[in-house]
Amino acid sequence: MALYRLSEDPPPALTAPALVAAFDGWIDAAGASTAAAARVADGGRTLATFDPDALYDYRARRPVLDVVDGTLTELTWPELSLRGRRVGARDVLALVGPEPDFRWQELGADVLELCLRLGVVEWISLGSLPAAVPHTRPVPVLGTASKPGLLPDDVPQGPAGLLRVPSAALSAVEFAVAGSGIPTVGFYAQVPHYVGSTYPAAAIALLEHVGRHLGVTFDTADLRRAADTTRERLDAAVAADEESRAYVARLEMMADEQGRPAGEDLIAEIERFLRQRADGGAEDDRPGPT
């Protein structure tokens, strides 16, 4: 049986639909990629839902229970769903939810089947990774692509060389979709590693890249207000600590000299973080605000 259920069968006719996907947890630093993907389909209709019993370990990702005055009133289960809406002259879909624990290969096959049924013409993965970048500079975004010529000129494809890290479920699903011949790209925002909470600036950067890539516009006014507030908080935290000021200044100098982290340095940074997460290790002890 398929892991998904269509909200309408047969599904609705869509116009040149592009599918944007992000899962929380792995490669979702500061929640930036899932925030951006959710915004893509904000206000849209649900096209398909996936069976949470088949995909999630509830002991690792427990459903949320509401208890009111001693009475169990509501149980909210983790949800992976596909939503869509019309943006400009085309349909844009968003596959967003918690990263599945189980059955990744089946999920990839089912998502591919769903893409074919809906006529998806392009897949876009979104991710965000901690990196040695300062919060005082524009958010760097790297791209991946299933073949040359898919990325816009202002998005560097990389990092250069071999990057061997534990895979995300999102990458496994994208791999299945790309294998069918559907063009796939990915946009990955680099989040200052010392940010310990949400980072709206990275979500904005991802939405801007997706919008330019698809030729559509997304409303980010509220995210920009939140980004301004976050910037003020980070500025204050850095200003209050001499070691943090020196560290951020060093990051600024590196960003200004290189434009973006060098390929080998970036690979080392990503590999360090993902391997540490896979081993259950703690974040490093480099100075900076949280």
Side-chain angles (χ1 to χ4, degrees), residues 201 203-213 216 218 220 224:
I204 293 170
L206 290 172
L207 284 168
E208 288 177 341
H209 279 76
V210 172
R212 287 196 296 269
H213 183 67
V216 299
F218 301 105
T220 59
R224 294 186 185 281

Side-chain angles (χ1 to χ4, degrees), residues 12 14-22 36-38 40-42 45-47 81-87 90-96 114-115 117-124 126 210 214 218:
L14 304 175
T15 302
L19 194 155
V20 178
V40 164
D42 188 29
R45 58 179 170 173
T46 299
L47 300 174
S81 63
L82 180 68
R83 299 176 61 84
R85 66 184 175 110
R86 180 62 62 92
V87 182
R90 69 184 306 172
D91 287 288
V92 181
L93 317 180
L95 178 66
V96 187
L114 190 53
C115 288
R117 293 184 70 175
L118 295 174
V120 169
V121 299
E122 184 171 12
W123 170 285
I124 302 173
L126 297 184
V210 172
L214 297 178
F218 301 105

Side-chain angles (χ1 to χ4, degrees), residues 140-155:
V141 175
L142 282 174
T144 60
S146 57
K147 61 182 180 181
L150 295 178
L151 289 171
D153 293 338
D154 63 339
V155 178

Side-chain angles (χ1 to χ4, degrees), residues 15-201:
T15 302
L19 194 155
V20 178
F23 298 156
D24 77 1
W26 202 249
I27 61 170
D28 186 34
S33 59
T34 47
R39 180 59 56 92
V40 164
D42 188 29
R45 58 179 170 173
T46 299
L47 300 174
T49 56
F50 291 79
D51 181 5
D53 283 356
L55 294 177
Y56 297 113
D57 177 359
Y58 293 139
R59 292 175 300 175
R61 189 187 297 273
R62 294 183 181 274
V64 177
L65 174 66
D66 288 349
V67 183
V68 179
D69 297 329
T71 300
L72 310 188
T73 58
E74 186 174 359
L75 196 58
T76 304
W77 300 90
E79 180 182 79
L80 176 63
S81 63
L82 180 68
R83 299 176 61 84
R85 66 184 175 110
R86 180 62 62 92
V87 182
R90 69 184 306 172
D91 287 288
V92 181
L93 317 180
L95 178 66
V96 187
E99 181 179 48
D101 298 298
F102 306 121
R103 302 171 73 169
W104 288 9
Q105 294 187 67
E106 288 181 62
L107 179 63
D110 280 3
V111 169
L112 170 58
E113 177 185 282
L114 190 53
C115 288
L116 296 175
R117 293 184 70 175
L118 295 174
V120 169
V121 299
E122 184 171 12
W123 170 285
I124 302 173
S125 290
L126 297 184
S128 49
L129 294 164
V133 296
H135 72 279
T136 53
R137 296 293 186 269
V139 176
V141 175
L142 282 174
T144 60
S146 57
K147 61 182 180 181
L150 295 178
L151 289 171
D153 293 338
D154 63 339
V155 178
Q157 185 169 339
L162 173 64
L163 174 63
R164 178 170 290 158
V165 295
S167 176
L170 179 65
S171 301
V173 175
E174 178 186 340
F175 197 77
V177 173
S180 74
I182 295 175
T184 67
V185 299
F187 296 110
Y188 296 88
Q190 297 173 52
V191 175
H193 72 87
Y194 50 81
V195 172
S197 59
T198 59
Y199 195 59

Side-chain angles (χ1 to χ4, degrees), residues 222-269:
D222 60 324
L223 287 174
R224 294 186 185 281
R225 290 191 293 270
D228 290 341
T229 300
T230 300
R231 171 64 185 268
E232 292 172 1
R233 177 178 58 82
L234 290 170
D235 284 346
V238 170
D241 181 74
E242 182 177 354
E243 190 176 11
S244 294
R245 291 198 303 273
Y247 183 68
V248 171
R250 187 160 69 251
L251 293 180
E252 290 175 333
M253 181 179 66
M254 292 170 56
D256 294 342
E257 288 179 351
Q258 299 176 355
R260 62 181 185 272
E264 292 182 0
D265 293 341
L266 181 59
I267 288 176
E269 181 73 16

